[in-house]
Amino acid sequence: MENKSQLNIIIYETSNLIKGLHVSYCIYLVNIVWHMQYTNVDDVVVSAYQLGHLYSFIVLKLLQFEGYKLVKNSKDIFMSFRDLHMEMKEDKDARWFELECVPEDYIPLKENRPQNLDSPVCDSIPVIDLAKPNGLVEEILKGSQEFGFFQVINHGIPEKILIDAMNVLKEFFDMQGKNAPTGTIPDKKGYIYTRSDFADDGTNLWRENLKHPCHPLERCIHLWPDTPTRYQEVIATYLVEIQKLSSRILEMIDEGLGLEQGHFKNTSEVQLLSSNFYPPCADPSLTLGLSPHFDTSLISLVYQGGSPGLQFIKDGQWINVGAIPNAFVVNIGNQLEIISNKKLKSVQHRVVTSTHATRLSIATFVNPSLDCIIEPAKVLVNELEPSLYPTSQYKDYVQRTNAFGAYTAAILNAMR
Ligand SMILES: O=C(O)CCC(=O)C(=O)O
Ligand SMILES: [Fe+2]
């Protein structure tokens, strides 16, 4: 069993070393390595040669020519292949994700891995055309009650603003280079940048992430990244639009729930931006871009530029949120679930990676202000439907539930 796993690794690595050569060469190489467990290199070469496999011999010579030291012991040859391969990788100006296999510290326990990546795409979550003259409130309510998710199109945000925001964030992530620190929370004032931050179980996530507060804009803006130089201007423009869109959606939710008009006014601002860069990954079944979680917000708006990867749970099954260019994904957060006395659902979601596609997303969280009191709305509580949640100040809720995981203290600080 042990030999077999060593052989598998050799197949994999050698196949990458001799790119461009026919795959059967690799099979013959495996043959050679297999024989090496019983004999020494020369014997194996000879026996392969004697069997008439001249090209095995040529491949071996080619590898020697490339600088691969072939030693007599099978364990050593395994090590020398591996070490040389690593050295070659380090020489290149590769970024952290440009790897041919997934490093162990990115692989969660089996039960936490994505497993089945062939989840269905959900075409039943409502895609709501905001340019329609009527029926919007009902559709929004339906999506929020049944799935905790819906998408909006024709939302009125000019495409150029969306493209600019995506481009400037892509530039930001590209600029972090290959030496960015992993899994740490830098004590930068104003924004938090991490790559490969940790999931709850301590494994690294396959993403880079940028977070910063957004409200009030004029007090936050100078704390955001200043490279690329356009960052602050472009993202401020984006956030003004998001604020308008989210207020419009909250007003419709307000109406749908039958709350007094303006229930969310003055208590709900886009407080936090969290942008994610999920690069391609050699084996998406082993890694997570973002672990399963609930949002702590009232609502969250995600712009995903038409790329897949976001999944939510429905009846115990992970479902892909369809990738619609220019649409916004809207999901209900824990605070709105509380205010609606569970009429609307905050649903667990996660992000999986892809072998070929990069996902860049901009999540914006509309949160209550820190001193806001959160409790089920009075009009939704009665004898038949008693309050399902205790009253709590949002700040206490965040602290008590450690709402932003390892970032909780830093985010609370930034939001003050
Ligand atoms: O869409 C994404 O990439 C993840 C967004 C998300 O769920 C979050 O940031 O909480
Ligand atoms: Fe989320």
Side-chain angles (χ1 to χ4, degrees):
M1 196 60 211
E2 193 186 316
N3 286 342
K4 195 160 183 291
S5 73
Q6 285 188 358
L7 281 173
N8 283 342
I9 294 166
I10 292 166
I11 298 168
Y12 182 73
E13 295 199 343
T14 49
S15 70
N16 282 302
L17 292 174
I18 52 171
K19 272 195 189 105
L21 292 181
H22 195 277
V23 74
S24 64
Y25 291 168
C26 302
I27 297 166
Y28 282 107
L29 256 182
V30 171
N31 227 332
I32 292 164
V33 175
W34 180 255
H35 278 92
M36 282 184 60
Q37 288 165 70
Y38 310 108
T39 179
N40 64 39
V41 181
D42 288 343
D43 282 350
V44 175
V45 174
V46 170
S47 70
Y49 181 69
Q50 280 173 342
L51 285 168
H53 305 314
L54 180 60
Y55 42 94
S56 310
F57 178 73
I58 294 170
V59 169
L60 201 56
K61 282 289 162 204
L62 203 83
L63 287 170
Q64 280 176 310
F65 181 71
E66 288 279 317
Y68 290 92
K69 199 165 39 139
L70 300 177
V71 288
K72 294 188 179 171
N73 166 313
S74 67
K75 190 158 173 276
D76 286 349
I77 197 172
F78 167 68
M79 292 308 291
S80 55
F81 267 110
R82 210 164 93 119
D83 292 346
L84 281 160
H85 186 59
M86 294 292 191
E87 267 173 39
M88 265 176 55
K89 277 255 129 235
E90 275 164 23
D91 284 349
K92 283 205 309 177
D93 195 20
R95 286 173 70 178
W96 65 271
F97 50 84
E98 289 169 334
L99 297 170
E100 276 136 4
C101 36
V102 178
E104 231 170 82
D105 45 349
Y106 285 79
I107 306 177
L109 292 174
K110 203 158 188 167
E111 59 271 25
N112 296 336
R113 293 180 203 160
Q115 317 280 355
N116 176 21
L117 284 170
D118 303 324
S119 312
V121 171
C122 182
D123 44 19
S124 45
I125 80 165
V127 177
I128 303 171
D129 180 351
L130 290 185
K132 266 189 356 187
N134 42 40
L136 296 179
V137 172
E138 293 72 22
E139 284 186 53
I140 287 178
L141 258 269
K142 179 178 182 311
S144 309
Q145 283 166 338
E146 277 184 33
F147 306 97
F149 272 81
F150 56 90
Q151 301 209 52
V152 294
I153 55 170
N154 290 327
H155 39 67
I157 303 186
E159 198 178 349
K160 179 172 181 321
I161 292 180
L162 303 177
I163 294 172
D164 276 357
M166 291 296 261
N167 283 345
V168 88
L169 279 158
K170 181 174 183 311
E171 264 177 72
F172 172 84
F173 287 115
D174 284 348
M175 286 169 69
Q176 302 314 307
K178 65 171 191 162
N179 294 322
T182 71
T184 55
I185 302 171
D187 69 292
K188 268 253 195 250
K189 267 222 174 87
Y191 72 88
I192 299 167
Y193 164 77
T194 47
R195 86 151 163 86
S196 311
D197 52 336
F198 299 120
D200 288 345
D201 65 0
T203 44
N204 293 94
L205 295 171
W206 200 266
R207 71 160 182 178
E208 293 180 39
N209 176 261
L210 170 68
K211 282 187 178 60
H212 58 66
C214 307
H215 180 76
L217 212 49
E218 57 291 353
R219 250 191 20 224
C220 298
I221 187 166
H222 66 280
L223 299 170
W224 301 347
D226 50 11
T227 47
T229 46
R230 292 165 56 245
Y231 185 92
Q232 296 178 356
E233 180 200 331
V234 166
I235 295 301
T237 306
Y238 178 83
L239 285 167
V240 168
E241 295 294 329
I242 295 292
Q243 180 66 52
K244 281 192 272 181
L245 178 60
S246 56
S247 299
R248 190 175 163 206
I249 292 170
L250 276 173
E251 270 166 35
M252 288 192 268
I253 290 177
D254 186 341
E255 187 184 332
L257 287 174
L259 307 180
E260 74 278 19
Q261 222 185 357
H263 187 91
F264 299 110
K265 225 180 169 120
N266 305 326
T267 57
S268 55
E269 305 287 348
V270 179
Q271 299 280 7
L272 191 68
L273 174 144
S274 174
S275 177
N276 301 291
F277 167 74
Y278 309 95
C281 171
D283 189 345
S285 71
L286 298 179
T287 54
L288 277 167
L290 187 51
S291 322
H293 67 281
F294 298 90
D295 286 356
T296 291
S297 54
L298 285 164
I299 53 170
S300 312
L301 272 67
V302 177
Y303 185 67
Q304 52 176 0
S307 54
L310 181 59
Q311 301 186 325
F312 68 97
I313 207 148
K314 172 88 179 134
D315 303 327
Q317 199 187 7
W318 287 104
I319 309 277
N320 290 305
V321 172
I324 305 174
N326 285 333
F328 276 89
V329 178
V330 183
N331 64 291
I332 303 300
N334 291 347
Q335 305 313 305
L336 195 48
E337 179 176 295
I338 296 173
I339 292 169
S340 72
N341 206 22
K342 222 180 170 103
K343 293 213 159 27
L344 310 185
K345 289 197 188 75
S346 171
V347 167
Q348 209 176 25
H349 50 288
R350 69 178 187 183
V351 175
V352 293
T353 60
S354 149
T355 50
H356 54 281
T358 296
R359 173 181 174 83
L360 182 65
S361 66
I362 316 174
T364 35
F365 301 101
V366 182
N367 293 340
S369 41
L370 286 180
D371 52 4
C372 197
I373 301 293
I374 300 294
E375 61 186 358
K378 299 266 184 300
V379 293
L380 300 177
V381 175
N382 53 48
E383 260 176 37
L384 291 176
E385 294 175 295
S387 168
L388 298 172
Y389 303 91
T391 300
S392 158
Q393 200 174 35
Y394 181 59
K395 182 175 52 193
D396 295 338
Y397 175 93
V398 170
Q399 266 160 350
R400 196 180 64 244
T401 59
N402 200 23
F404 301 105
Y407 305 108
T408 302
I411 287 176
L412 274 176
N413 218 13
M415 275 169 65
R416 270 174 228 282

